[in-house]
Amino acid sequence: MIAVIDYKAGNLTSVVKALTYLGAETQVTQDPKVVRSASKVVLPGVGHFQATQLLTDLGLTEAVRESVAKGTWFLGVCVGLQWLFEGSTEAPDVAGLGHFAGMCERFPASFEGSELKSPHVGWNSLEDVRQDSKLLRGVQVRGFVYYTHSWRAPVVNSTAAVTSYGGPFTGAVERDNVMGVQFHPEKSSSVGLQVLKNFVEL
């Protein structure tokens, strides 16, 4: 069973729909016990990083920490990926899980002398796809995925794919059983479905 964490931060229905389409059994939950007993956990989310404070308030941060420590597969989507890092300048007082080092930061106002529009919305390509990535198995370099975000995660050792917009940022991150994607797999056509399928089949 895949526990899909509900912390009132959008795109939940579309993620559940995509997982169900792929044959996965899902349970939408705010219950730490359900998270602890699930075989896999998905944390979707769009919007403000501040919303992730609810995860701590409901005891879900600790439940996720315990689950991943015992090897449960975890996938964060969009804000869910950002939460895997130490935090975000969007809500400096709200701590992330801290599984990956670094802070998420807003796109710069300009890049290489030109104005940079924010949010970054639309299709963009995945570069430097890590060959050993379980999550991105079968995904081609320069495969296109759909983004909509104003804050981005830094490129780190565990980055599994990079996207460039105002400089490089982490499009996907993966270390052992903990994974995240900044793009929306449920809106990313065949590439996005492949990513979700890979996760479901782990």
Side-chain angles (χ1 to χ4, degrees), residues 15-29:
V15 170
V16 170
K17 195 173 173 184
L19 291 169
T20 304
Y21 171 79
L22 291 166
E25 180 193 343
T26 61
Q27 182 174 347
V28 175
T29 187

Side-chain angles (χ1 to χ4, degrees), residues 27-47:
Q27 182 174 347
V28 175
T29 187
Q30 290 187 335
D31 187 344
K33 289 181 194 165
V34 173
V35 170
R36 287 187 180 95
S37 64
S39 58
K40 296 184 178 79
V41 179
V42 175
L43 181 71
V46 293

Side-chain angles (χ1 to χ4, degrees), residues 96-114:
L97 186 68
H99 193 82
F100 301 109
M103 291 286 288
C104 298
E105 297 187 340
R106 193 181 180 103
F107 284 106
S110 63
F111 181 68
E112 294 181 346
S114 301

Side-chain angles (χ1 to χ4, degrees), residues 107-199:
F107 284 106
S110 63
F111 181 68
E112 294 181 346
S114 301
E115 182 188 356
L116 190 72
K117 289 185 178 177
S118 184
H120 168 222
V121 177
W123 296 87
N124 206 336
S125 59
L126 295 173
E127 309 291 341
D128 301 329
V129 175
R130 242 175 48 206
Q131 294 305 301
D132 66 342
S133 169
K134 292 181 174 69
L135 187 65
L136 302 179
R137 183 172 46 81
V139 172
Q140 299 297 314
V141 175
R142 290 183 287 282
F144 277 80
V145 291
Y146 189 82
Y147 286 99
T148 173
H149 61 125
S150 298
W151 269 258
R152 61 184 181 183
V155 175
V156 293
N157 286 341
S158 298
T159 295
V162 172
T163 294
S164 290
Y165 184 77
F169 66 87
T170 287
V173 67
E174 176 179 336
R175 188 169 73 221
D176 301 323
N177 55 311
V178 179
M179 307 164 174
V181 291
Q182 179 61 62
F183 57 89
H184 287 277
E186 78 283 4
K187 295 178 181 174
S188 294
S189 193
S190 58
V191 175
L193 270 182
Q194 180 67 47
V195 169
L196 290 176
K197 183 171 182 282
N198 289 343
F199 183 74

